[in-house]
Amino acid sequence: MIKIFFAKELGFCWGVERAINLAAQAKNEFAGQVTILKEIVHNRQVVDFFKKKGVGQEDTLDKIESGTLVISAHGLSPKLKEEAQQKGLRIVDTTCPLVENVHSFTRELLRDGYQVILYGEPGHDEVHGVMGIDEANIHLLAEYEDIEHLPRFEHGKVALITQTTRGVKAFQQVCDKMKEIYPEIKIVNTICDATDTRQAAIHELAPTVDLVLVIGSQSSGNSQRLRDIAESICGKAYLVDHPTQIDWSWFDGVDKVGITAGASTPNFAVEGMLKALQAGVGIDVANSDAKLFEYKSFAPYKKNVQQTA
Ligand code: SF4
């Protein structure tokens, strides 16, 4: 039997919960086709849930011609929003207010004449949305190692901003290096609180266990980050969406397992994983307080599932 230790902060954040509730509400309230552009949140099981309820999902706006368009929690570029309005679509915007903040700060910086460097993941929906504000004056920085490939800006107005779900420590390293190059650089830390607290919790948990299971989808940036942090500390960390992805040999010689979940991971995914672990290796939950706290915070989503069934 293995001992399970939960991270103090894990699973759904309020921004994700809000987006799911708004999308479910749109399906309940509006007649006609309701379509989500991209994934409502980066979690396979949540995406499948909406598909089963008859909510459409498209990767590009040109495939949505009528009905209601749901903008995901990660936001959309101003140009695409305008296109959607011109098509006459009813728009339900579930963009997380903290992603909206990144858009507002970026607009302000551009208005004040700054060249903006965005520390973000290439291809991520949030990054697409922010870059779309002004592709010519926003420069994407994917990794610390890429700093040397950024264009050199001769005038002093350079600003650094970040995707909400990037690594806190990694962003600090980027800030330090950028300050060496541009001592006057303006830095706006837009990493959200949910990301910050989940990363702090895994920093605390990982040194105390033999292995960390991060429950979340591969497409979830914040889940990937939790896995990377855990792996760098305890040496063994896996990101799994579903029990079928577990390789039981991971648990050979393991006594203590840490559990965390990305900000877009619903509680039924956590519960499913616990049941599988119980059946597969046998578990004893060591810190049930953390578990109870999370179960309470997941409750509104459960209610929502029942409403839309
Ligand atoms: S992870 Fe942060 S930015 Fe993303 S939805 Fe949650 S609170 Fe909002």
Side-chain angles (χ1 to χ4, degrees):
M1 186 171 288
I2 54 172
K3 257 196 157 46
I4 295 286
F5 294 81
F6 286 94
K8 281 188 187 153
E9 296 275 347
L10 74 160
F12 264 16
C13 65
W14 64 271
V16 158
E17 192 175 296
R18 175 181 171 275
I20 290 169
N21 285 337
L22 287 172
Q25 213 176 316
K27 174 65 184 161
N28 285 345
E29 286 179 9
F30 301 132
Q33 182 61 37
V34 174
T35 311
I36 300 169
L37 182 57
K38 314 265 177 101
E39 295 186 334
I40 182 73
V41 299
H42 286 320
N43 182 272
R44 202 62 257 148
Q45 292 167 67
V46 174
V47 168
D48 288 346
F49 163 78
F50 278 108
K51 277 187 189 160
K52 277 186 202 139
K53 298 292 161 200
V55 178
Q57 195 201 300
E58 295 292 355
D59 283 337
T60 56
L61 185 57
D62 55 19
K63 293 186 187 143
I64 309 171
E65 291 306 332
S66 60
T68 302
L69 164 76
V70 179
I71 297 175
S72 82
H74 306 105
L76 197 62
S77 73
K79 193 169 152 251
L80 284 179
K81 251 191 213 178
E82 205 183 300
E83 247 179 66
Q85 275 157 356
Q86 280 166 2
K87 282 183 163 197
L89 299 172
R90 179 192 286 118
I91 297 176
V92 174
D93 189 351
T94 78
T95 307
C96 176
L98 300 183
V99 173
E100 288 285 8
N101 273 351
V102 184
H103 283 242
S104 321
F105 283 128
T106 303
R107 268 193 225 99
E108 261 175 49
L109 291 165
L110 292 167
R111 201 177 48 225
D112 292 345
Y114 284 90
Q115 289 291 319
V116 177
I117 295 161
L118 171 66
Y119 179 53
E121 289 164 80
H124 191 280
D125 296 340
E126 181 181 333
V127 169
H128 273 303
V130 178
M131 294 293 294
I133 296 172
D134 181 352
E135 301 261 355
N137 293 301
I138 305 175
H139 311 272
L140 182 60
L141 173 66
E143 299 299 340
Y144 176 91
E145 293 71 29
D146 300 324
I147 291 177
E148 59 182 293
H149 304 303
L150 283 171
R152 291 290 148 183
F153 308 106
E154 296 311 324
H155 68 79
K157 290 211 142 189
V158 179
L160 174 65
I161 198 159
T162 173
Q163 182 185 334
T164 51
T165 50
R166 293 237 83 176
V168 176
K169 293 203 169 165
F171 181 58
Q172 191 51 53
Q173 281 176 341
V174 168
C175 292
D176 293 344
K177 184 69 186 169
M178 292 301 290
K179 276 192 236 165
E180 276 175 27
I181 304 171
Y182 301 105
E184 303 296 315
I185 192 168
K186 182 159 183 156
I187 296 173
V188 188
N189 183 352
T190 39
I191 291 177
C192 74
D193 195 45
T195 297
D196 198 353
T197 53
R198 279 152 189 73
Q199 289 183 12
I202 203 64
H203 272 287
E204 200 181 307
L205 177 69
T208 67
V209 295
D210 307 313
L211 177 156
V212 173
L213 271 190
V214 181
I215 306 167
S217 292
Q218 293 294 332
S219 57
S220 161
N222 74 84
S223 302
Q224 293 269 14
R225 225 83 61 222
L226 292 173
R227 194 268 317 276
D228 293 347
I229 294 168
E231 191 176 46
S232 72
I233 298 171
C234 87
K236 240 181 160 186
Y238 302 100
L239 174 60
V240 280
D241 217 356
H242 192 269
T244 51
Q245 295 161 348
I246 293 177
D247 175 344
W248 295 104
S249 69
W250 294 342
F251 300 96
D252 292 348
V254 164
D255 294 322
K256 296 177 187 172
V257 170
I259 299 267
T260 186
S264 47
T265 305
N267 74 324
F268 60 76
V270 178
E271 285 168 346
M273 203 63 74
L274 290 177
K275 273 188 198 143
L277 289 174
Q278 179 68 296
V281 283
I283 56 171
D284 173 21
V285 177
N287 59 341
S288 57
D289 282 1
K291 183 179 146 194
L292 287 171
F293 170 78
E294 280 311 311
Y295 280 12
K296 239 194 287 173
S297 78
F298 288 145
Y301 179 64
K302 282 191 161 175
K303 194 165 145 234
N304 198 38
V305 172
Q306 283 157 11
Q307 278 170 2
T308 57

